[in-house]
């Protein structure tokens, strides 16, 4: 229940009792909901829209809860304002999907001082004291990066064995998501570490796509005006991949199973899986957004006084065209 409102209502009810003893005893009961304030990153990608839908559908179906969502439009300051508004409103619980990891110490301390529990959803935060939040539920981004690098190692080896006399330099173009977001930090680290250990792998460019299709199309179009020697695109989410594919098409550069460029993408949305099944994208690394039910379970464990692990990972895999069928793609939730 909203603490501030419930106190006011109780006071007014008591005053009503005192001031007019003939108050109708059957006053309508005050709606009593467990209010959750949710600060969401934005609407930058299909992944994010699916994540928001998973959260809203989970709580909309339960009269006990009221989910109040604030969309930060990928601006961290908007998140700080939303969280402080939740504190003033006296919500019972706060969920934050952080835009970036840095900068959260003060506002999370204010939440703790207000005695409101916090769950971090999806990305994480860089704070000295992890008691500032109950748990972080989301992907193991390091594992995602490893799945991508493992595949690229096998693919490079396969090409080397298939064409032993050819040059085996692998020219990699890197499309980065929002700089400072956990997903970007760890997916980037996986690639940069791998390039440092594979002498024949070369980073030919790192472009900032901010996890959006529009920005990726813009930076790719500009890049391709002067650079066309690309063997692999390592794109940190599907929407940036879609923008890159559009730019490649316009530049006349082929990609996919029989194309010049092999594309690695993260999220594995239905649209990306279809391109993968059709041989246009080479690897889709899954990043599952559908964890609204798991978040609700964690909140109910908290309310029952049960212990909660500091990190809850969602299960994920990776797909090439060989693991996919049309049924798998058609059955995709997001
Ligand atoms: C990953 C999430 C990323 C997705 C992008 O958990 O933070 O943000 O990979 C989204 O699609 O924008």
């Amino acid at each position: 229940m909203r603490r501030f409102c419930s106190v006011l209502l109780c006071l007014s009810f008591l005053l009503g009792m005192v001031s007019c003893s003939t108050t109708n005893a059957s006053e309508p009961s005050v709606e009593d909901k467990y209010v959750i304030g949710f600060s969401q990153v934005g609407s930058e990608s299909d992944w994010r829209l699916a994540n928001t839908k998973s959260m809203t559908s989970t709580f909309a179906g339960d009269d006990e809860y009221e989910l109040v969502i604030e969309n930060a439009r990928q601006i961290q300051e908007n998140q700080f304002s939303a969280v402080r508004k939740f504190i003033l409103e006296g919500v019972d619980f706060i969920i934050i999907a952080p835009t970036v990891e840095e900068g959260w110490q003060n506002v999370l301390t204010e939440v703790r001082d207000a005695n409101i529990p916090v769950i971090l959803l999806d990305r994480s935060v860089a704070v000295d004291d992890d008691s500032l939040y109950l748990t972080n539920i989301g992907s193991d981004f390091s594992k995602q990066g490893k799945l991508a690098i493992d595949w690229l190692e096998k693919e490079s080896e396969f090409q080397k064995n298939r064409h032993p006399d050819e040059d085996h330099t692998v020219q990699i173009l890197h499309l980065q998501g929002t700089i400072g977001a956990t997903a970007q930090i760890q997916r980037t680290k996986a690639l940069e570490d791998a390039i440092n250990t594979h002498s024949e792998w070369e980073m030919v460019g790192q472009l900032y796509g901010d996890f959006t299709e529009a920005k990726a199309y813009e930076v790719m179009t500009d890049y391709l005006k002067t650079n066309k020697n690309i063997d692999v695109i390592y794109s940190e989410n599907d929407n940036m991949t879609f923008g890159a594919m559009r730019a490649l098409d316009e530049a006349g550069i082929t990609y996919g199973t029989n194309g010049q460029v092999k594309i690695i993408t993260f999220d594995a949305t239905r649209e990306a899986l279809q391109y993968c099944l059709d041989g246009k994208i080479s690897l889709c690394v899954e990043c599952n957004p559908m964890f609204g039910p798991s978040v609700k379970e964690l909140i109910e464990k908290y309310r029952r006084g049960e212990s909660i692990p500091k990190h809850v990972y969602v299960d994920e895999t990776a797909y090439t065209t060989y693991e996919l069928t049309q049924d798998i793609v058609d059955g995709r939730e997001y």
Side-chain angles (χ1 to χ4, degrees):
M1 73 287 296
R2 296 173 191 265
R3 288 181 179 80
F4 177 68
C5 299
S6 57
V7 168
L8 202 59
L9 281 167
C10 291
L11 280 175
S12 56
F13 186 64
L14 288 172
L15 286 172
M17 293 277 281
V18 168
S19 58
C20 45
S21 57
T22 57
T23 304
N24 174 357
S26 62
E27 281 287 313
S29 66
V30 172
E31 193 178 58
D32 191 9
K33 296 228 177 197
Y34 194 81
V35 181
I36 301 166
F38 174 25
S39 173
Q40 176 62 292
V41 166
S43 315
E44 75 284 358
S45 65
D46 296 344
W47 187 98
R48 188 67 54 195
L49 298 179
N51 181 246
T52 299
K53 184 180 171 192
S54 178
M55 291 291 289
T56 51
S57 59
T58 295
F59 290 99
D62 187 332
D63 289 341
E64 186 180 354
Y65 290 94
E66 180 184 348
L67 182 71
V68 180
I69 301 184
E70 293 283 346
N71 179 329
R73 296 187 305 284
Q74 289 186 280
I75 298 166
Q76 187 180 38
E77 279 304 322
N78 291 346
Q79 293 202 286
F80 295 162
S81 304
V83 169
R84 288 178 172 126
K85 183 167 83 76
F86 293 149
I87 294 172
L88 284 175
E89 289 178 345
V91 299
D92 298 288
F93 207 99
I94 291 176
I95 297 172
I96 300 170
T99 44
V100 294
E101 293 195 347
E102 297 298 331
W104 288 96
Q105 187 75 31
N106 291 343
V107 75
L108 285 176
T109 303
E110 292 167 35
V111 175
R112 178 175 59 185
D113 293 348
N115 293 314
I116 301 174
V118 178
I119 280 182
L120 300 180
L121 176 144
D122 177 24
R123 305 171 187 173
S124 193
V125 298
V127 292
D128 305 334
D129 174 5
D130 68 6
S131 70
L132 288 170
Y133 56 90
L134 282 177
T135 187
N136 183 187
I137 178 169
S139 299
D140 180 343
F141 299 110
S142 294
K143 178 188 167 192
Q144 291 176 1
K146 186 176 184 319
L147 286 171
I149 298 307
D150 289 351
W151 176 84
L152 188 51
E153 286 172 341
K154 292 187 185 78
E155 179 66 17
S156 306
E157 202 55 34
F158 171 75
Q159 296 300 341
K160 198 181 289 184
N161 297 332
R162 193 173 171 198
H163 308 291
D165 303 329
E166 285 180 10
D167 168 25
H168 291 288
T169 305
V170 182
Q171 299 169 115
I172 302 168
L173 179 60
H174 182 195
L175 266 177
Q176 290 186 289
T178 307
I179 301 299
T182 312
Q184 175 274 315
I185 292 169
Q186 297 188 15
R187 289 169 185 168
T188 290
K189 184 179 186 312
L191 177 62
E192 290 179 343
D193 289 352
I195 285 175
N196 289 335
T197 57
H198 291 74
S199 58
E200 74 278 16
W201 290 14
E202 179 192 351
M203 179 90 83
V204 295
Q206 273 185 315
L207 307 180
Y208 173 60
D210 201 20
F211 285 132
T212 71
E213 183 171 346
K215 186 66 180 170
Y217 171 73
E218 175 197 321
V219 298
M220 273 298 290
T221 300
D222 189 48
Y223 178 84
L224 292 174
K225 285 174 185 161
T226 52
N227 307 274
K228 295 201 189 299
N229 295 329
I230 308 165
D231 299 310
V232 175
I233 293 179
Y234 181 97
S235 171
E236 293 181 354
N237 90 326
D238 292 346
N239 294 82
M240 294 195 295
T241 299
F242 304 151
M245 289 163 70
R246 198 151 43 100
L248 289 167
D249 290 338
E250 290 172 2
I253 298 175
T254 60
Y255 49 87
T257 308
N258 303 312
Q260 170 193 329
V261 178
K262 305 295 181 218
I263 297 176
I264 295 168
T265 191
F266 291 83
D267 284 351
T269 57
R270 185 185 304 114
E271 186 177 359
L273 290 182
Q274 188 65 58
Y275 282 128
C276 193
L277 179 64
D278 298 343
K280 292 282 188 186
I281 291 177
S282 299
L283 181 76
C284 288
V285 180
E286 186 177 43
C287 184
N288 187 340
M290 309 306 283
F291 43 83
S294 302
V295 170
K296 184 178 172 190
E297 279 171 30
L298 289 167
I299 291 175
E300 292 186 339
K301 279 172 75 81
Y302 165 78
R303 295 180 72 186
R304 292 194 296 264
E306 296 172 18
S307 66
I308 296 172
K310 209 57 178 168
H311 212 299
V312 177
Y313 291 112
V314 292
D315 292 332
E316 296 163 337
T317 183
Y319 300 93
T320 68
T321 189
Y322 304 106
E323 287 85 33
L324 287 170
T325 64
Q326 195 59 56
D327 286 348
I328 292 175
V329 176
D330 294 345
R332 196 69 168 167
E333 270 189 283
Y334 66 98

